[in-house]
Amino acid sequence: MKVKVDPDLCMGCGVCETTAPDVFQLGDDGIAKVIVDIVPAHLEADVQTAIDDCPEGAISIVG
Ligand code: SF4
């Protein structure tokens, strides 16, 4: 699983970082970044929760 954050949609609420801190981190610009290339299998459920909970729908699965 690969994911990306659309920087035009992200408003920096931090929900994804709280839900999956080993995958998402807020950058200095206040926009969430994906910090892994491939999401480890044991974090996929957390990432799916982040996708579902992102208020802007900014996180999507790549590929
Ligand atoms: Fe951005 Fe969505 Fe993460 Fe909030 S949950 S920081 S809007 S990507």
Side-chain angles (χ1 to χ4, degrees):
M1 178 195 231
K2 283 183 154 186
V3 289
K4 65 178 181 177
V5 171
D6 185 334
D8 294 329
L9 294 177
C10 175
M11 50 83 156
C13 68
V15 164
C16 57
E17 185 182 59
T18 301
T19 304
D22 292 333
V23 177
F24 302 101
Q25 278 182 9
L26 289 181
D28 292 339
D29 56 3
I31 302 298
K33 316 289 183 210
V34 177
I35 58 169
V36 296
D37 183 25
I38 306 288
V39 176
H42 70 283
L43 296 178
E44 286 187 356
D46 288 345
V47 168
Q48 188 59 56
T49 299
I51 292 170
D52 294 342
D53 289 352
C54 172
E56 301 300 316
I59 308 168
S60 56
I61 294 172
V62 180

